[in-house]
Amino acid sequence: MNAIEIRNLSKSFRGMYAVDLLNMTVPMGAIYGFIGENGSGKSTTEKLICGHLVADSGSICLFDRDYTDPGVRARVGALIENTGCFPGSSVYQNLRMQTINLGLADPDEEIRRVLRIVRMEDAAATKFKNCSLGMKQRIGIAMALLGDPALLILDEPINGLDVDGMRLMREILVDITQNYGCTVLISSHILGELEKIATHYGIIRSGRMITELSAAELESRARVFVSVKTDRPDAALPLLRQRFGQVAEDDGALLVYDEREPEAVAEVLLTNGLSLSELRRNKLGLEEYYVALMSRKENA
């Protein structure tokens, strides 16, 4: 069973398709990174899944049931665009109002539960307007977690956060999936952060899914390279290109692509009397994969 299965989904506004025959599969228990440029259809897709918009055509199934089923709707939590909190009310009061909306039986215990998950047990009395951006994002996630949903949909929850805020958000999202059995669909432009937690990816462009792949598949497709720094890059570059083929220059380093053995690179330079100041093996990540994929589509 998959948490989300979308087939041939389309949604237009004034004759322009924001989502165009989209197909998408999110496995249960995944942290699914939903990636695409601004205007690619990410937010529209999320709103369609949540029932905030009605599709022109196509189907959405959540946990093998139609997304309009009241039973399955109750299993979805979402944070899209903003938290919807009252600025002058405390964190607890905002959460309490949402528990009333949801008709939860034991609101105080549920509020304590979600505040523990988002690491905000000590901030219940703080007014929402006095919270930092990172705290507000975590409050939004706490609101979405009320009622213990099986699927959490988050639209750009790490944008604008500082390093500590992003680290804490990563920990929370991993905790939600591993210890609370929740599937997470998360959109973000910060691909380096997304790569640290995502188990699956979907890359969308102009309302259509370009590709879906797991983190393991991304790992297998990523190109490796050896980065080397020398005091004579002008002399090293032709030697390395003659021996290894594709070599690029980047911020004072020479990048030898598709070579897994740093020792082989070092040997070429040392035998030609060139010294080394840095030598390491690396691999292209999600951001580089995304840029290369988009470039291929533009040139196709």
Side-chain angles (χ1 to χ4, degrees):
M1 181 192 301
N2 292 310
I4 302 174
E5 286 191 16
I6 292 175
R7 297 292 175 262
N8 298 319
L9 188 68
S10 294
K11 176 63 179 179
S12 62
F13 298 96
R14 298 179 180 177
M16 299 290 291
Y17 280 96
V19 175
D20 186 12
L21 298 174
L22 180 75
N23 292 296
M24 181 177 185
T25 303
V26 179
M28 284 186 61
I31 298 178
Y32 185 101
F34 198 24
I35 304 167
E37 59 196 356
N38 289 333
S40 61
K42 300 189 303 299
S43 295
T44 300
T45 301
E46 291 169 335
K47 290 175 183 178
L48 287 165
I49 295 170
C50 293
H52 298 171
L53 296 172
V54 177
D56 298 342
S57 59
S59 65
I60 304 173
C61 286
L62 307 178
F63 305 103
D64 281 350
R65 294 158 67 182
D66 186 83
Y67 80 114
T68 60
D69 184 296
V72 82
R73 291 243 53 82
R75 302 179 68 189
V76 180
L79 173 59
I80 298 178
E81 293 183 349
N82 59 67
T83 60
C85 289
F86 292 95
S89 298
S90 69
V91 173
Y92 172 85
Q93 289 168 334
N94 275 291
L95 291 169
R96 186 69 175 86
M97 284 183 276
Q98 184 66 354
T99 64
I100 294 171
N101 291 336
L102 296 173
L104 300 182
D106 192 348
D108 286 336
E109 175 55 33
E110 181 64 1
I111 290 170
R112 285 193 291 270
R113 184 186 76 88
V114 298
L115 287 177
R116 282 196 302 271
I117 294 174
V118 299
R119 284 63 162 173
M120 291 190 65
E121 303 99 311
D122 298 332
T126 304
K127 288 187 177 182
F128 183 79
K129 66 182 179 182
N130 295 329
C131 292
S132 66
L133 175 60
M135 292 173 68
K136 289 177 179 178
Q137 290 294 77
R138 284 186 280 144
I139 294 165
I141 291 177
M143 296 273 281
L145 288 171
L146 289 170
D148 195 19
L151 173 62
L152 190 62
I153 298 174
L154 305 175
D155 187 27
E156 307 282 359
I158 60 177
N159 281 15
L161 302 186
D162 59 20
V163 173
D164 287 338
M166 287 190 285
R167 176 191 54 77
L168 186 55
M169 188 66 74
R170 292 197 310 267
E171 292 176 0
I172 291 168
L173 295 179
V174 171
D175 186 29
I176 288 169
T177 56
Q178 293 185 352
N179 298 317
Y180 293 90
C182 190
T183 302
V184 176
L185 169 64
I186 172 174
S187 65
S188 178
H189 288 99
I190 308 176
L191 303 189
E193 288 297 311
L194 198 58
E195 188 175 11
K196 295 175 183 177
I197 58 171
T199 62
H200 295 76
Y201 303 99
I203 299 177
I204 186 175
R205 183 175 185 183
S206 300
R208 292 198 173 197
M209 187 66 72
I210 300 300
T211 188
E212 289 185 297
L213 72 165
S214 68
E217 288 171 324
L218 175 64
E219 176 77 10
S220 68
R221 296 181 191 182
R223 294 182 71 186
V224 298
F225 64 91
V226 172
S227 174
V228 60
K229 287 187 178 181
T230 175
D231 59 349
R232 295 178 56 197
D234 54 333
L237 184 58
L239 291 171
L240 293 175
R241 282 180 173 165
Q242 182 180 7
R243 172 64 174 82
F244 299 105
Q246 187 178 359
V247 181
E249 298 180 83
D250 180 53
D251 193 26
L254 300 177
L255 309 183
V256 183
Y257 286 99
D258 301 325
E259 176 55 47
R260 296 178 177 273
E261 302 300 332
E263 296 81 3
V265 176
E267 182 181 5
V268 170
L269 298 182
L270 293 174
T271 56
N272 284 275
L274 301 176
S275 62
L276 309 178
S277 60
E278 180 182 297
L279 182 69
R280 58 187 174 88
R281 188 168 78 91
N282 212 329
K283 182 177 288 190
L284 298 179
L286 175 61
E287 184 171 355
E288 293 84 1
Y289 177 82
Y290 171 77
V291 171
L293 180 65
M294 292 298 102
S295 177
R296 289 198 297 270
K297 293 297 179 182
E298 286 176 357
N299 296 327

